[in-house]
Structure formats: structure tokens, C-alpha cells
């Protein structure tokens, strides 16, 4: 354990076209909200060394090389050739105790060359939401960026109203997005694209370094990672809310938590984001959107896939068309675990779909239904489905106790429920009370264990709000 941060900034060593150096803009009166001590230790950082000044960018750790990354992206289907880190500054990378390279980034630390008309800042509410939800996802074992610390700035940010400002320190396998590739592809900047491909393979997919067609192998790996990720989202009722190509990480981590939310009652068309007018990013659309985004990714690689453009397009198209089958494998495997199956039968997908259908009709609570089944309870609203399930279980080798233990290890009792997230944010923003944030974070850190006294966190809202909306938090 060292008091300093052992930076090794590989992105800063890439061609200068990939980023712009930029310093954080100091703020008035920083105050720490929280340091994630376990994560700090994982990164080889002494948590006691993480001060409020570091958390907002008023002080820079030795060895950092602050920069804003360039990227483009399709936002709600429309291509924007230049987005980039408008309010995020990458401090650098560390190699953690398990040998994994991790980015350390400040989100909300002031304007960058990519800020356009934005102020480069973040409001306290969205910072707390991202901290809490990303850590809850991690605790469920879902690939995600992490939260290392959060601090208030002592300054206001101006959105619809004046709000307290804050900065989140985010940790990621990398912040490289589909949109990063798009930035160079649209500029036909082959040298930068080649450097990016080499970097991403070296960093995230070293096993394909010797592949005959590296671009194709990369496409396959990124597709696999996204299929696995989106299946995990769907299996925990998570709605990302803004699956733009600039918010899709090529490492396969959940990234850029904005108007995200967990659904209470199971309803596939659920949309929470106030900016998602047409429900493009509704719960059930997420696998299809992932495929659409991957097609955009494949387009950036066409020139590398094959010298012959026609053949490149044919190859990429065949891969993208195979995504639904790839996703379906992850979908059925994950849901099998959720209903306690260790064996595989052809009828399993239909059995799972029958459960979801009856849940939808009953507007059953998504999290609670699976948790009850894991506790050996039979929710009455499931009608005749439990009988079908028991018939299938009779052909599964596991005994009932083992089965329920397995089910409890994949069906969380506690997810970040919207009504509680909102109450947590309101307490912090309106009353400077961070007690609910700390308590909720604690409960969500062991989501699969029954926690006496935490019953309120397991229950759906008393009156579910069909008009519930989350705001983007920019
Ligand atoms: P997001 O919706 O957070 O994924 O951001 C989309 C784009 O807008 C990215 O390029 C962000 O860097 C940029 N952006 C969002 N909020 C701000 C802000 N307050 N100031 C500057 N840029 C921003
Ligand atoms: Mg984003």
C-alpha cells in the first residue's frame, strides 16, 4: 500500500489525435462525501490519501496525465461526429492488485475542449445515483464501472434549477466506447483507428492478439461481451436509459449511468428516461439496441476486416445477424439459473417465457417474484406456472436445498428501487443528509443476503408510479 498512486498512462501515450490534454478547473469548497475504501485498496491506493482536493481535481496526484478523450456517437439514432469527454477528465491508469489496468476519471471536474455549450459540471443527485447504482451492479456481479469517491464542490450548477455541484471519481476497465471508433472511422483516420484497435486488443482482449483477422476477432469479442452484459441487465430488471453508441463500452462494462432505473412491476415496455420520448431504450428493446450499436461498431471496422469492401460488408453483416442467437444463449442460461435449473432442455426458454408472461399479466414485482421463488415461496399471482416449473424441476439433478441456495445467489433481495433512490437523493440535496445514501449503499453491497432490518429495501413502492421519470442529469 502506498500513499501515492502508481499511474501508468497508456492512453496518454497513444497518438495525440485520440485526446486533448486538459486540467480540472478548481472549485470553491470541496467536501468529501464518500471514499470507497475497498476499491481504493484494490487499486493499491491508501484510502486515507484520498482527500477532498483530489476528489474534485483541486489537487492532482503525482504521475497523472489529465486528458479528455475524443469520441463521436449515435444519440437516439442520430450521428454526432464529435462528442468527446465534455465533463469528464481521465487522470490516468493504474494496474490493480490483480494485474488489471483500470482508468481513474473525474466526472464533473470542469470544461474540456469537448464541452460544447456544457459547463463541464455534474449535479449532486446524478453523482449519488451513479455511485450507488454502479456499486449495486458490481455487488450483483454485473460488469460495470465503479465509484472510487464522491465530493461536493461547494458551487452551484445551473440546470432547470440551481443545484449543488459534485464530482464523481469513476474507475473503469477503460472508457473506450463504440463512439471512440466512430470518431476516427468517420474522419477516415486509419492511423488513429489502427492505434485504437491495437490498444483495445492489448488491453481488453489480449487472447486475440495473434488472430489471423484481428478486427473480426475484436468484433466477435465485443459482441460476446455485450450479449452477456445486456442479458445480465434484463435478468435484474435494469434499464440503462441512454444506450447511445457513445455510452457503450467496448470492454463490456455498464457505463454512463444517467436516467437509469430498475423496474418494479414487470412490464417489458417500461421506459423511465424523460428524454426517451419514443421508448427507444425501453427495457425490452435493449438487446435489439445492443445489436444496432454493434452494427455501428462493425461499420467502423469495415476497412480492417477485408481489403474487399463487399466481402467486408458480407462478413460483418453475417456476424451482426447472428447476434440474436448469441444473446438468446445468454438469456436462457441466466434465466435457467434464476429458476434453479442446472440441466438444459429444449423447452426451458418457453417455460421461462411463460413465467414472464404471467408476471406481466399480474404486474408482478420483478425482483420480489424471483426472490420469493428462491425462498421456497409460491407467489399466488403466478397461477398455474409453479406446477409446470415443478414438473421440470423433477428432471433436474439438484436437490431442493441446493437449488434454493443457487437461486438465492442469483436473485437479489435488494436492488436500487426508484422510490428509495429518489428519497436518498432528496435527503442529500435538500437537507445535506447523506445518511440514507450510506445506509442504502451498505444494504446494496450484499444484495443476495437477507438482512434483518432492511425489509423496506426489499419491498416495491406502496403505490407504483407509472409516470415515474428519471432525468438525464447533465
Ligand atoms: P451523456 O448524455 O452524459 O452520455 O453525454 C453526452 C455528451 O454530452 C458527452 O459528450 C458529454 O461529455 C457531454 N456532456 C454532458 N453533460 C455535459 C456538461 N454538463 N458539460 C459539458 N458536456 C457535457
Ligand atoms: Mg455518455
Amino acid at each position: 500500500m502506498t500513499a501515492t498512486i502508481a499511474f501508468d498512462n497508456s492512453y496518454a501515450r497513444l497518438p495525440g489525435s485520440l485526446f486533448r490534454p486538459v486540467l480540472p478547473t478548481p472549485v470553491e469548497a470541496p467536501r468529501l462525501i464518500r471514499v470507497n475504501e475497498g476499491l481504493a485498496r484494490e487499486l493499491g491506493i491508501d484510502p486515507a490519501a484520498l482527500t477532498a482536493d483530489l476528489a474534485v481535481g483541486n489537487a492532482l496526484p503525482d504521475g497523472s496525465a489529465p486528458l479528455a478523450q475524443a469520441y463521436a456517437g449515435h444519440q437516439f439514432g442520430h450521428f454526432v461526429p464529435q462528442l468527446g469527454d465534455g465533463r469528464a477528465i481521465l487522470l490516468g491508469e493504474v494496474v490493480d492488485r490483480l494485474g488489471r489496468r483500470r482508468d481513474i476519471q473525474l466526472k464533473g471536474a470542469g470544461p474540456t475542449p469537448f464541452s460544447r455549450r456544457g459547463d463541464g459540471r455534474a449535479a449532486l443527485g446524478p453523482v449519488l445515483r451513479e455511485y450507488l447504482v454502479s456499486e449495486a451492479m458490481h455487488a450483483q456481479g454485473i460488469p460495470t464501472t465503479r465509484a472510487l469517491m464522491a465530493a461536493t464542490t461547494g458551487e452551484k450548477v445551473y440546470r432547470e434549477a440551481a443545484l449543488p455541484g459534485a464530482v464523481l471519481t469513476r474507475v473503469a476497465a477503460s472508457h473506450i466506447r463504440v463512439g471512440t471508433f466512430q470518431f476516427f472511422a468517420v474522419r477516415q483516420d486509419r492511423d488513429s483507428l489502427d492505434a485504437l484497435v491495437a490498444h483495445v486488443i492489448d488491453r481488453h482482449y489480449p487472447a486475440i492478439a495473434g488472430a489471423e483477422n484481428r478486427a473480426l476477432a475484436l468484433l466477435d469479442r465485443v459482441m460476446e461481451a455485450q450479449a452477456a452484459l445486456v442479458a445480465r441487465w434484463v435478468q435484474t430488471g435494469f434499464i440503462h436509459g441512454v444506450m447511445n453508441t457513445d455510452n457503450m463500452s467496448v470492454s463490456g462494462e455498464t457505463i454512463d449511468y444517467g436516467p437509469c432505473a430498475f423496474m418494479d412491476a414487470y412490464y417489458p415496455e417500461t421506459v423511465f428516461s424523460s428524454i426517451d420520448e419514443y421508448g427507444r431504450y425501453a427495457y425490452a428493446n435493449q438487446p435489439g439496441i445492443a445489436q444496432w450499436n454493434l452494427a455501428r461498431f462493425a461499420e467502423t471496422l469495415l476497412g480492417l476486416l477485408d481489403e474487399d469492401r463487399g466481402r467486408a460488408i458480407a462478413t460483418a453483416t453475417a456476424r451482426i445477424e447472428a447476434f440474436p442467437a448469441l444473446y438468446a444463449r445468454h438469456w436462457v442460461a441466466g434465466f435457467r439459473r434464476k429458476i434453479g435449473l442446472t440441466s438444459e432442455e429444449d423447452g426451458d426458454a418457453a417455460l421461462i417465457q411463460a413465467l414472464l408472461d404471467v408476471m406481466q399479466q399480474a404486474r408482478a414485482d420483478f425482483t420480489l417474484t424471483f426472490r420469493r421463488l428462491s425462498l421456497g415461496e409460491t407467489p399466488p399471482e403466478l397461477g398455474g406456472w409453479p406446477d409446470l416449473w415443478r414438473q421440470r424441476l423433477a428432471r433436474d439433478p439438484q436437490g431442493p436445498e441446493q437449488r434454493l441456495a443457487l437461486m438465492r445467489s442469483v436473485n437479489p433481495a435488494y436492488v436500487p428501487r426508484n422510490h428509495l433512490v429518489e428519497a436518498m437523493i432528496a435527503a442529500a440535496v435538500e437537507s445535506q443528509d447523506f445518511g440514507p445514501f450510506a445506509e442504502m449503499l451498505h444494504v446494496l453491497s450484499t444484495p443476495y443476503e437477507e438482512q434483518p432490518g432492511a425489509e423496506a429495501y426489499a419491498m416495491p413502492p406502496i403505490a407504483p408510479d407509472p409516470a415515474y421519470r428519471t432525468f438525464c442529469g447533465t
Side-chain angles (χ1 to χ4, degrees):
M1 195 82 44
T2 51
T4 50
I5 302 177
F7 282 106
D8 174 33
N9 305 323
S10 66
Y11 209 83
R13 295 192 289 266
L14 293 175
S17 52
L18 275 80
F19 58 87
R20 308 281 178 272
V22 61
L23 294 174
T25 304
V27 299
E28 200 74 19
R31 281 181 69 168
L32 267 182
I33 300 167
R34 182 95 188 177
V35 170
N36 188 338
E37 297 191 356
L39 178 59
R41 288 194 198 93
E42 202 176 297
L43 298 174
I45 301 170
D46 178 0
L50 294 176
T51 61
D53 278 338
L54 285 176
V56 296
N58 278 15
L60 281 176
D62 287 342
S64 58
L67 59 86
Q69 292 178 320
Y71 55 85
H74 277 88
Q75 300 191 303
F76 292 89
H78 302 285
F79 187 64
V80 183
Q82 181 167 312
L83 291 165
D85 286 333
R87 57 160 170 172
I89 296 177
L90 178 66
L91 292 181
E93 301 149 33
V94 297
V95 176
D96 75 10
R97 297 186 136 190
L98 296 174
R100 299 171 301 189
R101 182 173 292 276
R102 318 273 293 267
D103 273 7
I104 302 179
Q105 188 203 61
L106 300 178
K107 188 169 175 183
T112 77
F114 299 112
S115 294
R116 292 169 292 162
R117 285 180 298 283
D119 60 2
R121 295 294 181 190
L124 176 58
V127 164
L128 294 179
R129 182 196 302 276
E130 175 157 356
Y131 194 125
L132 183 104
V133 179
S134 65
E135 288 301 306
M137 295 284 270
H138 170 72
Q140 283 192 38
I142 299 173
T144 177
T145 60
R146 304 285 308 276
L148 179 61
M149 49 183 166
T152 48
T153 59
E155 297 178 358
K156 295 279 182 217
V157 295
Y158 298 90
R159 301 293 183 258
E160 299 84 15
L163 298 166
V167 179
L168 177 74
T169 306
R170 180 160 76 173
V171 172
S174 83
H175 287 82
I176 302 166
R177 307 139 192 276
V178 167
T180 316
F181 285 75
Q182 291 181 292
F183 185 91
F184 301 104
V186 73
R187 286 167 180 74
Q188 298 184 11
D189 178 352
R190 178 64 189 259
D191 290 346
S192 299
L193 198 57
D194 283 342
L196 183 63
V197 168
H199 177 79
V200 167
I201 290 177
D202 181 45
R203 188 161 176 178
H204 298 305
Y205 305 106
I208 61 169
E212 201 182 315
N213 188 333
R214 288 169 13 123
L216 186 56
L218 177 62
L219 175 61
D220 285 339
R221 292 300 171 112
V222 172
M223 286 182 66
E224 173 69 29
Q226 286 300 327
L229 179 67
V230 175
R232 292 298 309 267
W233 292 356
V234 162
Q235 283 151 6
T236 193
F238 177 76
I239 303 165
H240 181 284
V242 205
M243 282 179 75
N244 293 332
T245 57
D246 53 302
N247 292 338
M248 182 182 266
S249 160
V250 295
S251 78
E253 287 183 337
T254 313
I255 195 172
D256 278 9
Y257 292 84
C260 61
F262 282 73
M263 78 183 156
D264 294 303
Y266 179 68
Y267 186 64
E269 306 309 315
T270 304
V271 180
F272 289 118
S273 169
S274 62
I275 55 171
D276 192 359
E277 262 182 273
Y278 302 103
R280 178 179 171 91
Y281 299 136
Y283 169 81
N285 288 354
Q286 296 182 115
I289 290 292
Q291 182 187 18
W292 192 88
N293 289 350
L294 289 163
R296 306 290 77 75
F297 180 55
E299 282 166 5
T300 71
L301 298 175
L302 285 177
L304 290 73
L305 284 175
D306 200 305
E307 289 161 9
D308 180 277
R309 191 159 174 93
R311 274 204 312 259
I313 291 173
T315 303
T317 305
R319 289 308 213 269
I320 296 299
E321 282 177 353
F323 183 80
L326 172 64
Y327 174 76
R329 285 200 289 280
H330 287 279
W331 183 90
V332 77
F335 272 113
R336 270 198 190 104
R337 284 190 288 276
K338 283 178 80 74
I339 63 168
L341 293 175
T342 53
S343 55
E344 298 177 14
E345 284 186 14
D346 286 346
D348 293 344
L351 179 70
I352 292 158
Q353 192 56 54
L355 170 61
L356 295 172
D357 290 346
V358 63
M359 285 170 62
Q360 181 178 350
Q361 275 152 30
R363 297 280 165 109
D365 184 80
F366 186 84
T367 303
L368 207 50
T369 301
F370 286 101
R371 187 67 185 179
R372 284 197 173 136
L373 292 173
S374 321
L375 295 168
E377 298 167 18
T378 309
E381 63 271 24
L382 299 186
W385 185 82
D387 291 333
L388 297 174
W389 181 43
R390 278 184 209 103
Q391 287 164 25
R392 172 66 183 89
L393 292 179
R395 297 189 300 276
D396 194 85
Q398 262 195 138
E401 261 174 49
Q402 266 181 305
R403 169 179 310 126
L404 292 180
L406 167 78
M407 289 175 67
R408 282 193 301 275
S409 75
V410 295
N411 292 312
Y414 311 103
V415 298
R417 300 243 180 211
N418 304 323
H419 63 293
L420 297 174
V421 172
E422 293 302 329
M424 175 279 283
I425 290 173
V429 171
E430 288 157 27
S431 319
Q432 293 76 54
D433 177 6
F434 293 94
F437 171 68
E439 186 178 309
M440 209 171 166
L441 199 58
H442 179 73
V443 170
L444 293 170
S445 69
T446 53
Y448 300 116
E449 276 168 37
E450 293 294 320
Q451 299 172 45
E455 292 76 14
Y457 290 93
M459 298 307 293
I462 293 167
D465 179 1
Y468 178 78
R469 288 291 176 270
T470 49
F471 294 90
C472 201
T474 49

